[in-house]
Amino acid sequence: QVQLVESGGGLVQAGGSLRLSCAASGRTFSSFLVAWFRQAPGKERDFVAAITWNSGRTAYADSVQGRFTISRDNAKNTLYLQMNFLKPEDTAVYYCAARSGGGIYTIQAQYDYWGQGTQVTVSS
């Protein structure tokens, strides 16, 4: 089992920045692919970004490419999402997710472990 706990959400004005964190415990975090998803009210949960176990590969949704940066610190068992130039349409609950093994996956059903989420609200 892997337990994931997100933090760092909040209210920010459009154009501002936030950094989300996801603290992991349990099984060896360093061997897992980890990702961020988000879910806006009334919408499905969408892929945001993913990073492989050794940070060798990353992937981003087109909507956040160039504005968001995913990173991880395996020594601290922590995943990060730096969000810059935030827009009102970035408003959502942000979830971190994990799965064992290699590769990059962008479908929520492909992930085995989930956090409870952290709310990000961007005002216009």
Side-chain angles (χ1 to χ4, degrees):
Q1 291 289 331
V2 174
Q3 292 77 44
L4 304 171
V5 179
E6 303 94 337
S7 62
L11 174 64
V12 64
Q13 289 187 332
S17 298
L18 280 176
R19 188 175 82 154
L20 305 183
S21 299
C22 174
S25 60
R27 294 180 60 187
T28 307
F29 173 76
S30 60
S31 65
F32 279 65
L33 171 72
V34 285
W36 290 97
F37 286 76
R38 66 185 182 186
Q39 187 167 19
K43 296 188 177 181
E44 296 185 350
R45 192 170 298 185
D46 292 331
F47 171 77
V48 175
I51 186 167
T52 53
W53 70 274
N54 62 352
S55 302
R57 290 178 60 196
T58 58
Y60 295 92
D62 290 344
S63 59
V64 306
Q65 181 77 49
R67 299 188 298 123
F68 290 11
T69 302
I70 189 171
S71 62
R72 66 189 294 168
D73 185 338
N74 288 340
K76 296 182 178 180
N77 285 351
T78 303
L79 172 69
Y80 302 100
L81 185 68
Q82 178 66 45
M83 307 185 294
N84 298 327
F85 306 108
L86 283 161
K87 304 175 181 179
E89 50 264 43
D90 294 319
T91 295
V93 177
Y94 284 71
Y95 299 89
C96 64
R99 59 165 285 150
S100 60
I104 287 278
Y105 298 88
T106 63
I107 308 298
Q108 62 166 326
Q110 295 168 317
Y111 287 81
D112 301 311
Y113 305 101
W114 292 86
Q116 294 301 305
T118 185
Q119 176 71 47
V120 172
T121 303
V122 184
S123 63
S124 58

